[in-house]
Every structure is written in structure tokens, then in C-alpha cells.
Amino acid sequence: MASASRMGIDEGSGDETKGGMWELDQKLDQPMDEEAGRLRNMYREKKFSALLLLRLAFQSLGVVYGDLGNFSLYVFYNTFPHGIDDPEDVIGALSLIIYSLTLIPLLKYVFIVCRANDNGQGGTFALYSLLCRHAKINTIPNQHRTDEELTTYSRSTFHEHSFAAKTKRWLEAYPFRKNALLILVVVGTCMVIGDGIPTPAISVLSASGGIKVDHPKMSNDVVVVVAVIILVGLFSLQHYGTDRVGWLFAPVVLLWFLLVGGIGIYNIWKYDSSVLRAFSPVYIYRYFRRRKSEGWTSLGGIMLSITGTEALFADLAHFPVSAIQLAFTVVCFPCLLLAYSGQAAYLMQNKDHVVDAFYRSIPESIYWPGSCYCYFCC
């Protein structure tokens, strides 16, 4: 069949060549229609049992949520680098952290962005690929009918007056819009890479810095050496793959979230339960009105509380959307709220300890176990 098609192309010219090409497409994709349809149906009908979903959600903790949990070490210090003047500022900062975690990771990413995946694939280039499949905006055309039939990907149709159709026409109208979109995709990817390169060093150094809280005379060189040893050990495990790394770190990260959440509950009970007022957004308005330009500058520290959120979408290639959603809403989100609330409660009575609020807020009876576990987690 293939040789006959090639003969048809070789023998013709002009319109005959175009006809031969069309004939080639027809003959190539006809026997694959049934197989391609079966593959697409398998993907769409794939269901996860409750046990498998719990297992995948558990594994996702060890791969996806490391950054979100670790940045609780130094959010308040970066929010108040010059110290805390008014305890009410702590309430305002906590309110900003609560609503940042609620609006961006929980509502935006977990319930909206994760649904915009490219047949289970997440990340900046996955979104770009999804757009290119529905609109002719790619710099290299890739909308070939036989390629579509060979994969589980398919283009859905939408009404010509819908917002999606209008967006499609707007993007296809001028070539510079296509180029601008590609540049935006590349810049967005570079920003993710730029965020990912310093994050391990910053997180591990911050965790190792807890040694100096109990031994203030210790040299910074010791802290750096400890951080380097931890980083070498962590990166040496990466080549084992997502499955093994997930099973190795999932229990560690789960215990970490439970630990910081438990410490948060203890600090709220011991120091100042009035910090729960921060769940009212009124304190955000009061915070900015009171601190003015300094309040806006402090948003750089507040943003650290949601750093790592992009992993929820980028790691969809490893885990299904439902597993990501379950792990975040049941474990990560409530534990982070408790952790930040607990630190805020501690700072209400210990304003001078903002530099190392996390370590200072750990109960003395579990300080060293908690600190050592922090080194391992980060």
C-alpha cells in the first residue's frame, strides 16, 4: 500500500502530486483510525481506585510539596527584615499569608490551573502545546492530521462566538502575536529554572542555620559544610527516578507537615490564640494603611509563603490532578496555615526573635529532634 502511494506521488506532478499526497494521508491514517480511537477512549475512561489515588497522593508529597513546606522557615524574617515595631503588624502579615495561600495555591492552582492540563501534562510548554493544537500560532506548523490520529491527543471544537474562538482569532490575526507568545513561554520557563536553581541552596542553608540558634558562637563555615553534605546526599538520589524518590521522601515530608502543624497548634495555645483574628481580611487593609510603603515592600517576604506553588502544575506529568488536589487540600494547606499561625502567635510575645522565629518557636523538649528533622526535610 505504501509503495503504491509512493508510486502515485513519483509519477504525478503539480495537481497530481497534491492528489498523491492526499491519497497518502488517506491510506496511512485509515488503518490507524480504530487503534487511535481505542487509545483515546482508554485515556478518557481511565479511573483511579480509591486506594491507588491515596497512594499517588502520598507519593506526591515527596515530590511536589517540598518547597511550600520549607519556606515557612524564613517568611516572617523576610517580611520584617528590620524588626517588628507593632504586634498588630504580625496579624496583618499573617492575614496576607493566609489569603495568599488560599487564593493562589488552593483556588488558582489546585482548582483552576491544574484543570488546564494538556492530556495530563503540566508546565509552561504543555500549555503552549495545548494552545498550538487549537490555534495556528506555532512558529513551526505541527497540525498534521495523521500525527493527531497517531496519538491520544485531540482537538476539541467550540462555538465560533465563544471566548475561546475570539481568543483564537485574536492570536492568529498578526504574526508578531505568535512570536510574542513564544517569547513569553520561553521567559516563563526561564523564570521557573531561575527559581529552581537557588531554591535548594537557600532552603538547606536556612535549615542548617538552626544549629547556630543553640550554638551562637559556631562558625558559619560549619553551617555551609553541613548544607553541602546534605545537598550532595539529596542530589545523589535523584537518578533513581520519581517513583523511588517519591516513596523515599513522601513519609519524610508528611511527618514534616504534621510536625510544623503540631508545633503551630502548640504555639497558638501557649502564646496567643488571638492571632486567629488574621482570618479576617480587614487586617490586611489595616496593615497597608499603617505601614504604607513598607507594607508594599514587605510583600516580597509574603510571596515566599507561596514559592514552589508552580510545582503543583509542572509535576502533573508524574501524578494525576486528583492526587495533587487531595494531597494539598487534606495535608499541606491546613498544616501550613497552622504553622504560620503558630509562628505569629510566638512573635506576638517575642518580637525580637523574628530572625529565627521558626526555631525559637519549637518547644524546648523537642528542639533537637525537630531541628535535625528540619535539616533532613529541607
Short mmCIF file of all heavy atoms in Angstrom, two decimals, residues 236-281:
data_model
loop_
_atom_site.label_atom_id
_atom_site.label_comp_id
_atom_site.label_asym_id
_atom_site.label_seq_id
_atom_site.Cartn_x
_atom_site.Cartn_y
_atom_site.Cartn_z
N SER A 236 22.33 13.06 44.93
CA SER A 236 22.80 11.74 44.53
C SER A 236 21.67 10.73 44.42
O SER A 236 21.82 9.67 43.82
CB SER A 236 23.85 11.23 45.53
OG SER A 236 23.27 11.02 46.81
N LEU A 237 20.50 11.08 45.00
CA LEU A 237 19.35 10.17 44.95
C LEU A 237 18.45 10.42 43.75
O LEU A 237 17.56 9.61 43.47
CB LEU A 237 18.52 10.32 46.24
CG LEU A 237 19.22 9.98 47.56
CD1 LEU A 237 18.32 10.34 48.74
CD2 LEU A 237 19.59 8.50 47.61
N GLN A 238 18.66 11.54 43.06
CA GLN A 238 17.72 11.94 42.00
C GLN A 238 17.66 10.95 40.84
O GLN A 238 16.62 10.79 40.21
CB GLN A 238 18.10 13.32 41.46
CG GLN A 238 18.03 14.43 42.49
CD GLN A 238 16.63 14.64 43.04
OE1 GLN A 238 15.67 14.71 42.28
NE2 GLN A 238 16.52 14.72 44.35
N HIS A 239 18.79 10.27 40.56
CA HIS A 239 18.82 9.41 39.38
C HIS A 239 17.99 8.14 39.54
O HIS A 239 17.82 7.39 38.59
CB HIS A 239 20.26 9.05 39.03
CG HIS A 239 20.91 8.12 40.00
ND1 HIS A 239 21.44 8.55 41.20
CD2 HIS A 239 21.10 6.77 39.97
CE1 HIS A 239 21.94 7.52 41.85
NE2 HIS A 239 21.75 6.42 41.13
N TYR A 240 17.47 7.90 40.74
CA TYR A 240 16.64 6.71 40.95
C TYR A 240 15.23 6.88 40.39
O TYR A 240 14.48 5.91 40.34
CB TYR A 240 16.58 6.37 42.45
CG TYR A 240 17.87 5.80 42.98
CD1 TYR A 240 18.69 6.55 43.80
CD2 TYR A 240 18.26 4.51 42.64
CE1 TYR A 240 19.89 6.03 44.28
CE2 TYR A 240 19.46 3.98 43.12
CZ TYR A 240 20.27 4.75 43.94
OH TYR A 240 21.44 4.23 44.41
N GLY A 241 14.85 8.09 40.01
CA GLY A 241 13.55 8.30 39.37
C GLY A 241 12.48 8.76 40.34
O GLY A 241 12.62 8.67 41.57
N THR A 242 11.38 9.25 39.76
CA THR A 242 10.31 9.85 40.55
C THR A 242 9.66 8.85 41.50
O THR A 242 9.33 9.18 42.64
CB THR A 242 9.24 10.44 39.62
OG1 THR A 242 9.85 11.37 38.74
CG2 THR A 242 8.15 11.14 40.40
N ASP A 243 9.47 7.62 41.04
CA ASP A 243 8.75 6.63 41.85
C ASP A 243 9.50 6.35 43.14
O ASP A 243 8.93 6.41 44.24
CB ASP A 243 8.55 5.35 41.06
CG ASP A 243 7.69 4.34 41.80
OD1 ASP A 243 6.53 4.67 42.10
OD2 ASP A 243 8.18 3.23 42.10
N ARG A 244 10.79 6.05 43.05
CA ARG A 244 11.55 5.72 44.25
C ARG A 244 11.79 6.94 45.13
O ARG A 244 11.73 6.85 46.36
CB ARG A 244 12.89 5.09 43.85
CG ARG A 244 12.75 3.72 43.21
CD ARG A 244 14.08 3.08 42.98
NE ARG A 244 13.94 1.76 42.38
CZ ARG A 244 14.96 0.96 42.07
NH1 ARG A 244 16.21 1.37 42.31
NH2 ARG A 244 14.75 -0.23 41.53
N VAL A 245 12.08 8.08 44.49
CA VAL A 245 12.26 9.31 45.27
C VAL A 245 10.97 9.68 46.00
O VAL A 245 10.99 10.10 47.16
CB VAL A 245 12.72 10.46 44.35
CG1 VAL A 245 12.68 11.80 45.09
CG2 VAL A 245 14.12 10.19 43.83
N GLY A 246 9.84 9.50 45.29
CA GLY A 246 8.55 9.79 45.92
C GLY A 246 8.30 8.92 47.14
O GLY A 246 7.89 9.41 48.20
N TRP A 247 8.57 7.61 47.03
CA TRP A 247 8.36 6.71 48.16
C TRP A 247 9.35 7.00 49.29
O TRP A 247 9.02 6.82 50.48
CB TRP A 247 8.51 5.25 47.73
CG TRP A 247 7.30 4.71 47.05
CD1 TRP A 247 7.19 4.28 45.77
CD2 TRP A 247 6.00 4.52 47.63
NE1 TRP A 247 5.92 3.85 45.50
CE2 TRP A 247 5.16 3.99 46.63
CE3 TRP A 247 5.46 4.78 48.89
CZ2 TRP A 247 3.83 3.69 46.85
CZ3 TRP A 247 4.12 4.48 49.12
CH2 TRP A 247 3.32 3.94 48.10
N LEU A 248 10.55 7.47 48.95
CA LEU A 248 11.54 7.76 49.98
C LEU A 248 11.20 9.01 50.77
O LEU A 248 11.26 9.03 52.01
CB LEU A 248 12.93 7.91 49.34
CG LEU A 248 14.07 8.34 50.28
CD1 LEU A 248 14.31 7.29 51.36
CD2 LEU A 248 15.35 8.61 49.49
N PHE A 249 10.82 10.08 50.06
CA PHE A 249 10.61 11.37 50.70
C PHE A 249 9.18 11.61 51.14
O PHE A 249 8.93 12.53 51.94
CB PHE A 249 11.07 12.51 49.78
CG PHE A 249 12.55 12.61 49.66
CD1 PHE A 249 13.21 12.13 48.55
CD2 PHE A 249 13.31 13.19 50.67
CE1 PHE A 249 14.59 12.21 48.43
CE2 PHE A 249 14.68 13.29 50.56
CZ PHE A 249 15.33 12.79 49.44
N ALA A 250 8.23 10.86 50.62
CA ALA A 250 6.83 11.08 50.99
C ALA A 250 6.61 10.96 52.50
O ALA A 250 6.00 11.85 53.11
CB ALA A 250 5.92 10.12 50.23
N PRO A 251 7.06 9.90 53.18
CA PRO A 251 6.87 9.84 54.63
C PRO A 251 7.61 10.95 55.37
O PRO A 251 7.12 11.45 56.39
CB PRO A 251 7.40 8.45 55.02
CG PRO A 251 8.27 8.03 53.89
CD PRO A 251 7.71 8.66 52.67
N VAL A 252 8.77 11.35 54.83
CA VAL A 252 9.54 12.42 55.47
C VAL A 252 8.77 13.74 55.41
O VAL A 252 8.63 14.44 56.41
CB VAL A 252 10.91 12.57 54.77
CG1 VAL A 252 11.68 13.76 55.34
CG2 VAL A 252 11.72 11.30 54.91
N VAL A 253 8.27 14.07 54.22
CA VAL A 253 7.55 15.33 54.04
C VAL A 253 6.22 15.29 54.79
O VAL A 253 5.80 16.31 55.37
CB VAL A 253 7.33 15.61 52.54
CG1 VAL A 253 6.49 16.88 52.34
CG2 VAL A 253 8.66 15.75 51.82
N LEU A 254 5.55 14.15 54.80
CA LEU A 254 4.30 14.04 55.55
C LEU A 254 4.53 14.31 57.04
O LEU A 254 3.78 15.09 57.67
CB LEU A 254 3.69 12.64 55.35
CG LEU A 254 2.42 12.34 56.16
CD1 LEU A 254 1.30 13.32 55.79
CD2 LEU A 254 1.98 10.91 55.95
N LEU A 255 5.55 13.67 57.60
CA LEU A 255 5.87 13.91 59.01
C LEU A 255 6.28 15.36 59.25
O LEU A 255 6.00 15.93 60.31
CB LEU A 255 6.97 12.96 59.47
CG LEU A 255 6.57 11.50 59.63
CD1 LEU A 255 7.78 10.65 59.99
CD2 LEU A 255 5.49 11.35 60.71
N TRP A 256 6.95 15.97 58.26
CA TRP A 256 7.34 17.38 58.39
C TRP A 256 6.10 18.28 58.48
O TRP A 256 6.04 19.15 59.36
CB TRP A 256 8.20 17.78 57.20
CG TRP A 256 8.42 19.26 57.06
CD1 TRP A 256 7.87 20.10 56.15
CD2 TRP A 256 9.25 20.07 57.90
NE1 TRP A 256 8.30 21.38 56.34
CE2 TRP A 256 9.15 21.39 57.41
CE3 TRP A 256 10.07 19.80 59.00
CZ2 TRP A 256 9.85 22.44 57.99
CZ3 TRP A 256 10.76 20.86 59.58
CH2 TRP A 256 10.64 22.16 59.08
N PHE A 257 5.14 18.07 57.60
CA PHE A 257 3.93 18.88 57.65
C PHE A 257 3.18 18.67 58.96
O PHE A 257 2.67 19.63 59.56
CB PHE A 257 3.02 18.56 56.46
CG PHE A 257 3.38 19.29 55.20
CD1 PHE A 257 3.91 18.62 54.11
CD2 PHE A 257 3.18 20.66 55.09
CE1 PHE A 257 4.25 19.29 52.95
CE2 PHE A 257 3.52 21.35 53.94
CZ PHE A 257 4.06 20.66 52.86
N LEU A 258 3.09 17.43 59.40
CA LEU A 258 2.42 17.15 60.67
C LEU A 258 3.18 17.78 61.83
O LEU A 258 2.56 18.27 62.80
CB LEU A 258 2.28 15.64 60.87
CG LEU A 258 1.38 14.91 59.87
CD1 LEU A 258 1.39 13.41 60.15
CD2 LEU A 258 -0.04 15.45 59.90
N LEU A 259 4.51 17.79 61.75
CA LEU A 259 5.33 18.38 62.81
C LEU A 259 5.11 19.89 62.90
O LEU A 259 4.84 20.42 63.99
CB LEU A 259 6.80 18.08 62.55
CG LEU A 259 7.80 18.72 63.53
CD1 LEU A 259 7.64 18.12 64.92
CD2 LEU A 259 9.24 18.53 63.03
N VAL A 260 5.22 20.59 61.75
CA VAL A 260 5.06 22.05 61.79
C VAL A 260 3.62 22.43 62.14
O VAL A 260 3.39 23.44 62.82
CB VAL A 260 5.48 22.70 60.45
CG1 VAL A 260 6.96 22.46 60.20
CG2 VAL A 260 4.65 22.20 59.28
N GLY A 261 2.66 21.62 61.69
CA GLY A 261 1.26 21.88 62.06
C GLY A 261 1.04 21.69 63.55
O GLY A 261 0.36 22.49 64.21
N GLY A 262 1.63 20.62 64.11
CA GLY A 262 1.50 20.37 65.55
C GLY A 262 2.17 21.45 66.38
O GLY A 262 1.62 21.89 67.41
N ILE A 263 3.36 21.89 65.95
CA ILE A 263 4.05 22.98 66.66
C ILE A 263 3.21 24.25 66.58
O ILE A 263 3.14 25.03 67.56
CB ILE A 263 5.45 23.20 66.05
CG1 ILE A 263 6.35 22.01 66.36
CG2 ILE A 263 6.08 24.49 66.60
CD1 ILE A 263 7.70 22.07 65.66
N GLY A 264 2.57 24.47 65.44
CA GLY A 264 1.71 25.64 65.29
C GLY A 264 0.55 25.62 66.28
O GLY A 264 0.23 26.63 66.91
N ILE A 265 -0.09 24.47 66.42
CA ILE A 265 -1.20 24.34 67.38
C ILE A 265 -0.71 24.61 68.79
O ILE A 265 -1.36 25.33 69.58
CB ILE A 265 -1.82 22.93 67.29
CG1 ILE A 265 -2.51 22.74 65.94
CG2 ILE A 265 -2.83 22.71 68.42
CD1 ILE A 265 -3.01 21.33 65.70
N TYR A 266 0.45 24.07 69.13
CA TYR A 266 1.03 24.27 70.47
C TYR A 266 1.30 25.75 70.73
O TYR A 266 0.97 26.28 71.81
CB TYR A 266 2.32 23.46 70.58
CG TYR A 266 3.11 23.75 71.84
CD1 TYR A 266 2.76 23.15 73.05
CD2 TYR A 266 4.20 24.62 71.82
CE1 TYR A 266 3.48 23.42 74.21
CE2 TYR A 266 4.93 24.89 72.96
CZ TYR A 266 4.57 24.29 74.16
OH TYR A 266 5.27 24.55 75.31
N ASN A 267 1.89 26.45 69.76
CA ASN A 267 2.21 27.87 69.95
C ASN A 267 0.96 28.73 70.04
O ASN A 267 0.93 29.71 70.80
CB ASN A 267 3.11 28.35 68.81
CG ASN A 267 4.52 27.79 68.91
OD1 ASN A 267 5.02 27.56 70.01
ND2 ASN A 267 5.15 27.55 67.78
N ILE A 268 -0.06 28.41 69.24
CA ILE A 268 -1.32 29.16 69.33
C ILE A 268 -1.92 29.02 70.71
O ILE A 268 -2.40 29.99 71.32
CB ILE A 268 -2.31 28.67 68.25
CG1 ILE A 268 -1.80 29.03 66.85
CG2 ILE A 268 -3.69 29.29 68.46
CD1 ILE A 268 -2.59 28.39 65.72
N TRP A 269 -1.88 27.79 71.23
CA TRP A 269 -2.45 27.54 72.56
C TRP A 269 -1.62 28.19 73.67
O TRP A 269 -2.16 28.75 74.61
CB TRP A 269 -2.53 26.03 72.78
CG TRP A 269 -2.86 25.64 74.20
CD1 TRP A 269 -4.07 25.69 74.81
CD2 TRP A 269 -1.93 25.18 75.18
NE1 TRP A 269 -3.97 25.28 76.13
CE2 TRP A 269 -2.67 24.95 76.37
CE3 TRP A 269 -0.56 24.91 75.17
CZ2 TRP A 269 -2.07 24.48 77.53
CZ3 TRP A 269 0.04 24.45 76.32
CH2 TRP A 269 -0.71 24.24 77.50
N LYS A 270 -0.30 28.17 73.54
CA LYS A 270 0.58 28.64 74.61
C LYS A 270 0.75 30.16 74.61
O LYS A 270 0.75 30.79 75.68
CB LYS A 270 1.95 27.98 74.48
CG LYS A 270 2.93 28.42 75.58
CD LYS A 270 4.27 27.72 75.44
CE LYS A 270 5.24 28.18 76.53
NZ LYS A 270 6.56 27.51 76.43
N TYR A 271 0.89 30.77 73.45
CA TYR A 271 1.28 32.17 73.40
C TYR A 271 0.12 33.13 73.17
O TYR A 271 -0.11 34.03 73.99
CB TYR A 271 2.35 32.38 72.32
CG TYR A 271 3.66 31.70 72.65
CD1 TYR A 271 4.02 30.51 72.03
CD2 TYR A 271 4.53 32.23 73.59
CE1 TYR A 271 5.21 29.88 72.33
CE2 TYR A 271 5.73 31.60 73.91
CZ TYR A 271 6.06 30.41 73.28
OH TYR A 271 7.23 29.78 73.59
N ASP A 272 -0.60 32.99 72.09
CA ASP A 272 -1.64 34.00 71.80
C ASP A 272 -2.62 33.46 70.75
O ASP A 272 -2.33 33.50 69.55
CB ASP A 272 -0.99 35.29 71.30
CG ASP A 272 -1.94 36.47 71.30
OD1 ASP A 272 -3.16 36.23 71.42
OD2 ASP A 272 -1.48 37.62 71.18
N SER A 273 -3.75 33.00 71.22
CA SER A 273 -4.75 32.48 70.28
C SER A 273 -5.47 33.59 69.52
O SER A 273 -6.21 33.31 68.57
CB SER A 273 -5.78 31.62 71.03
OG SER A 273 -6.45 32.40 72.02
N SER A 274 -5.24 34.83 69.91
CA SER A 274 -5.91 35.94 69.22
C SER A 274 -5.39 36.14 67.80
O SER A 274 -5.97 36.91 67.03
CB SER A 274 -5.73 37.24 70.01
OG SER A 274 -4.39 37.67 70.01
N VAL A 275 -4.29 35.46 67.44
CA VAL A 275 -3.78 35.59 66.07
C VAL A 275 -4.77 35.04 65.05
O VAL A 275 -4.68 35.36 63.85
CB VAL A 275 -2.42 34.87 65.91
CG1 VAL A 275 -1.35 35.53 66.73
CG2 VAL A 275 -2.54 33.40 66.23
N LEU A 276 -5.72 34.24 65.51
CA LEU A 276 -6.72 33.70 64.59
C LEU A 276 -7.62 34.79 64.02
O LEU A 276 -8.39 34.54 63.10
CB LEU A 276 -7.55 32.63 65.30
CG LEU A 276 -6.76 31.41 65.81
CD1 LEU A 276 -7.68 30.43 66.52
CD2 LEU A 276 -6.06 30.71 64.65
N ARG A 277 -7.51 36.01 64.59
CA ARG A 277 -8.22 37.15 64.00
C ARG A 277 -7.77 37.41 62.57
O ARG A 277 -8.47 38.04 61.78
CB ARG A 277 -7.94 38.42 64.81
CG ARG A 277 -8.51 38.44 66.23
CD ARG A 277 -8.07 39.71 66.93
NE ARG A 277 -6.63 39.71 67.17
CZ ARG A 277 -5.90 40.82 67.40
NH1 ARG A 277 -6.48 42.00 67.35
NH2 ARG A 277 -4.61 40.72 67.64
N ALA A 278 -6.56 36.94 62.24
CA ALA A 278 -5.99 37.20 60.91
C ALA A 278 -6.81 36.58 59.79
O ALA A 278 -6.61 36.94 58.62
CB ALA A 278 -4.56 36.66 60.86
N PHE A 279 -7.72 35.67 60.10
CA PHE A 279 -8.58 35.11 59.07
C PHE A 279 -9.57 36.15 58.54
O PHE A 279 -10.22 35.91 57.53
CB PHE A 279 -9.32 33.88 59.59
CG PHE A 279 -8.48 32.65 59.62
CD1 PHE A 279 -7.70 32.34 60.73
CD2 PHE A 279 -8.44 31.79 58.53
CE1 PHE A 279 -6.91 31.20 60.76
CE2 PHE A 279 -7.66 30.65 58.55
CZ PHE A 279 -6.88 30.36 59.66
N SER A 280 -9.67 37.28 59.20
CA SER A 280 -10.48 38.38 58.69
C SER A 280 -9.62 39.25 57.78
O SER A 280 -8.56 39.73 58.19
CB SER A 280 -11.02 39.23 59.85
OG SER A 280 -11.61 40.42 59.35
N PRO A 281 -10.03 39.48 56.53
CA PRO A 281 -9.22 40.30 55.60
C PRO A 281 -9.14 41.77 55.99
O PRO A 281 -8.36 42.51 55.39
CB PRO A 281 -9.95 40.12 54.27
CG PRO A 281 -11.36 39.77 54.62
CD PRO A 281 -11.27 38.99 55.90
#
